[in-house]
Amino acid sequence: MTPAVRWLVPAAVLAFAVPMLASGSAAAQDCRNRGQLDTLYCDENNDLVADAPTDPRKWKDPGTLVFAYTPVEDPAVYQNVFKPFTDYLAQCTSKRVIYYPVQSNTAEIEAMRSGRLHVAGFSTGPTGFAVNLAGAVPFGAKGTANGPQGYHLLSLVKKSSPYQKLSDLKGKRVAHTAPSSNSGHLAPLVLYPPEGLKPNEDYRPLMSGGHDKSALGVLSGDYDMAGVASDVFERMVARGTLKLDDFRIIFKSPVFPTSSFAYAYDLKPELATKITDCFFAFRFPDSMQKEFNGDDRFVPITYKETWKVVREIAEGSGTPYNKNAYEAEGKREAEALAKKQQEQQKQAPRP
């Protein structure tokens, strides 16, 4: 690592770590129950998410709502995908709505924590960090009239490869996506060892930066195997970005909930209710149904019940949704970004 890159990493970590550390002095709120929430928040009703501030002067009623969707793939793709909904949300709430294309899970979480993000879709794994450290209140998920849809962790290899089971990947190049990802990192830590493959012992996880990048990396030969969320993989196949016949699935996990949609805990309660009503009244146009595997609406969920299996995976993987784990994983994300930037600079054509 060059001196320039060595200094880049602490700076990137500091960008989100300073607000995290500064929150320790904000624990003046009298709170009888906080659970795993950061000291900024309180959970008097024990639903595992932050209560709205008791002081109405702390409620937010912004003229412009900022919306973001989890960076599981290229953010620009989803800005276009969600345009029918963001247009509807603006009409329904009588507020301007802008789409914020976040580049990482930690950036999305920090944006809500700092008050710059009001409504967002968080990936399955980062939802827990968003709840505990950013005051996110999950209320919905994509689904149908039958309820929310789920997804699986798929372990992909090239069809032409010799690998038939997870234990065949010992000592090989195995991609994970990002440290806070449920299917892309945490689930493999818990689910692979019983299948004969121990992350960090039998192989060193290579962080790809996204489910799409993991799948494309397997196809290009950069990785021998990758754990990918089934819904992302299916969308890439449906778009023609990937061909199903080029891959072999050697492991499939139990079902997990998909990304959650959450509002910031300190929105004015009437505004929070209006936002959730608008979400549940919206019906996906054909373009969104195609993109989201037949889902046609947002359906109600609760973090306490719907995310129980995800919290168990996080605890079992030794990555609970607390400040220390978040800062450690944010540091790894920053280091991976710095390494990627360094590699891109090496590969760039010389003038």
Side-chain angles (χ1 to χ4, degrees):
M1 183 179 291
T2 66
V5 173
R6 191 177 301 118
W7 283 106
L8 173 64
V9 172
V13 175
L14 190 63
F16 69 87
V18 168
M20 298 294 298
L21 295 173
S23 70
S25 62
Q29 181 182 11
D30 182 22
C31 182
R32 291 172 296 179
N33 180 61
R34 185 167 282 119
Q36 294 187 352
L37 299 179
D38 187 70
T39 53
L40 285 173
Y41 316 114
C42 199
D43 179 24
E44 297 283 11
N45 61 2
N46 198 34
D47 61 358
L48 305 188
V49 300
D51 299 334
T54 55
D55 184 352
R57 293 173 298 179
K58 295 182 179 179
W59 296 344
K60 293 181 180 177
D61 188 12
T64 297
L65 292 175
V66 181
F67 173 82
Y69 185 63
T70 172
V72 290
E73 298 176 66
D74 182 358
V77 171
Y78 285 100
Q79 184 169 2
N80 293 326
V81 168
F82 276 99
K83 191 174 188 307
F85 173 67
T86 53
D87 287 348
Y88 170 83
L89 187 61
Q91 176 269 321
C92 185
T93 60
S94 299
K95 292 181 179 290
R96 183 176 179 233
V97 176
I98 61 173
Y99 186 98
Y100 176 40
V102 292
Q103 300 297 322
S104 70
N105 293 317
T106 51
E108 185 179 25
I109 292 167
E110 183 54 38
M112 181 164 282
R113 179 183 176 87
S114 65
R116 293 179 286 115
L117 180 61
H118 307 117
V119 189
F122 292 98
S123 282
T124 305
T127 289
F129 287 123
V131 167
N132 289 347
L133 303 176
V137 180
F139 62 86
K142 300 184 299 292
T144 67
N146 295 323
Q149 300 280 56
Y151 74 99
H152 302 269
L153 158 63
L154 302 180
S155 299
L156 305 175
V157 299
K158 286 183 72 171
K159 194 170 184 178
S160 59
S161 77
Y163 313 118
Q164 301 293 329
K165 56 186 182 301
L166 287 180
S167 58
D168 293 338
L169 275 299
K170 292 181 179 179
K172 304 301 180 182
R173 297 165 300 167
V174 177
H176 290 200
T177 60
S180 61
S181 174
N182 177 64
S183 58
H185 181 60
L186 303 180
L189 298 181
V190 175
L191 300 179
Y192 282 4
E195 303 295 322
L197 185 66
K198 296 180 179 179
N200 299 310
E201 292 185 26
D202 295 330
Y203 70 90
R204 181 174 63 87
L206 302 173
M207 296 297 171
S208 70
H211 294 272
D212 55 339
K213 297 177 179 64
S214 287
L216 290 168
V218 170
L219 185 63
S220 67
D222 292 338
Y223 310 122
D224 298 306
M225 189 265 281
V228 175
S230 61
D231 56 342
V232 177
F233 181 66
E234 289 163 5
R235 286 198 295 270
M236 296 179 75
V237 170
R239 286 193 213 117
T241 308
L242 299 174
K243 293 181 179 178
L244 181 62
D245 197 49
D246 288 336
F247 297 88
R248 181 187 305 118
I249 299 171
I250 61 172
F251 176 81
K252 183 177 180 180
S253 77
V255 68
F256 296 115
T258 62
S259 53
S260 68
F261 289 83
Y263 58 78
Y265 83 107
D266 56 354
L267 293 184
K268 186 177 180 180
E270 291 85 355
L271 175 59
T273 298
K274 183 63 176 177
I275 288 171
T276 59
D277 288 345
C278 293
F279 264 78
F280 298 145
F282 181 71
R283 292 295 177 265
F284 294 6
D286 290 343
S287 60
M288 289 182 67
Q289 291 184 42
K290 181 179 179 181
E291 184 67 28
F292 294 121
N293 306 319
D295 288 345
D296 64 1
R297 69 192 69 192
F298 298 106
V299 297
I301 57 96
T302 67
Y303 176 69
K304 186 173 185 177
E305 296 301 326
T306 313
W307 251 252
K308 182 179 179 181
V309 63
V310 181
R311 295 195 302 274
E312 290 173 349
I313 285 286
E315 295 289 341
S317 66
T319 312
Y321 292 122
N322 58 32
K323 185 188 299 184
N324 290 337
Y326 175 77
E327 291 179 352
E329 296 189 6
K331 180 179 179 181
R332 285 194 289 268
E333 274 195 356
E335 290 173 341
L337 176 61
K339 182 178 180 181
K340 181 179 179 181
Q341 291 174 337
Q342 185 181 29
E343 292 172 349
Q344 289 174 340
Q345 291 174 356
K346 289 179 178 180
Q347 295 172 1
R350 296 181 181 276

